[in-house]
Amino acid sequence: MFELSPRREPPWDVVDHKEVSPVPSYLPDSGVTIVSIFPNDISRTFTFNCPSKVQSPRRTHSRSSSVSSISSLLTLSRSSSNASSESEGGSSTSSRASSRKAKEDVRPTELSPQTVRDAIVFARNELLGSIELRKLGANVFFFEGWSVTKFRKGSSDQYRLQVCYTGRPAKAIFLSEGAPPTFPPFLDVTEGW
């Protein structure tokens, strides 16, 4: 009989990695009153695939403008986990992990710094709008940070971005008519990609 061996595909190589440790989102004089801060950080990892072949344009529905801007560029799959914060160290360990996968068919484009920033903003908005945070009643992150890893498959021009977004959920009251900040901290770190 014939022996079938698994198809060997080239591995994903790490091309670059950028990280911003969680930092405070609001300053004391920013016109925001923090009502409560939840005890655990929440993290979610998003993987964006950018295939080398251009697919035909397809119309996809979107829930917000940030979703439509990034969903028109990359294919998304995501997983989530809650992380409890350790004292003094500032690092997080996974206390409970649950996998949730979602796929969206979209058309790719080249992987530019703006695409990376859009992926980070998308990850933040998805995490902030998640069911977990809505159940808690949280509307902002007291601390937030992110990491991005850029992968390339072998020597091809197929890329993958992995965005891990972490935040400490909080309830806030805004004293002025201003809305909460809509951008992750230190997005300029992605320049030069």
Side-chain angles (χ1 to χ4, degrees):
M1 288 286 163
F2 296 100
E3 284 189 36
L4 298 175
S5 61
R7 183 176 168 199
R8 295 180 191 245
E9 296 204 14
W12 288 95
D13 299 321
V14 175
V15 176
D16 203 353
H17 178 81
K18 305 284 186 192
E19 183 171 356
V20 173
S21 297
V23 295
S25 301
Y26 297 98
L27 299 173
D29 59 349
S30 63
V32 176
T33 302
I34 303 294
V35 177
S36 63
I37 302 170
F38 295 93
N40 297 328
D41 290 346
I42 187 168
S43 295
R44 186 157 298 148
T45 300
F46 298 84
T47 301
F48 299 93
N49 292 315
C50 186
S52 56
K53 295 179 183 177
V54 176
Q55 300 171 359
S56 61
R58 285 177 41 170
R59 191 163 255 199
T60 58
H61 72 284
S62 63
R63 291 176 294 221
S64 69
S65 61
S66 66
V67 172
S68 63
S69 67
I70 191 65
S71 68
S72 66
L73 302 176
L74 304 168
T75 301
L76 164 71
S77 64
R78 59 185 155 206
S79 64
S80 65
S81 68
N82 284 336
S84 60
S85 181
E86 293 179 359
S87 62
E88 306 254 354
S91 64
S92 298
T93 59
S94 179
S95 63
R96 186 189 90 189
S98 64
S99 294
R100 185 175 80 180
K101 299 287 182 182
K103 295 276 185 179
E104 297 177 10
D105 291 332
V106 292
R107 64 181 185 271
T109 186
E110 71 178 50
L111 204 52
S112 66
Q114 184 60 47
T115 304
V116 175
R117 286 190 291 274
D118 288 345
I120 295 168
V121 170
F122 177 83
R124 179 190 190 275
N125 291 342
E126 283 291 302
L127 184 56
L128 195 54
S130 69
I131 293 171
E132 293 171 85
L133 292 182
R134 280 188 269 157
K135 284 181 182 177
L136 293 173
N139 59 350
V140 296
F141 288 126
F142 188 67
F143 288 101
E144 57 186 308
W146 52 267
S147 68
V148 176
T149 306
K150 182 178 177 182
F151 297 95
R152 182 178 58 226
K153 191 169 193 173
S155 60
S156 69
D157 61 349
Q158 188 175 2
Y159 289 95
R160 174 179 283 174
L161 282 179
Q162 188 174 37
V163 179
C164 181
Y165 208 91
T166 302
R168 173 75 52 96
K171 272 188 201 179
I173 297 173
F174 298 93
L175 304 176
S176 64
E177 293 292 323
T182 57
F183 293 104
F186 303 110
L187 280 178
D188 293 339
V189 170
T190 61
E191 283 299 320
W193 268 33

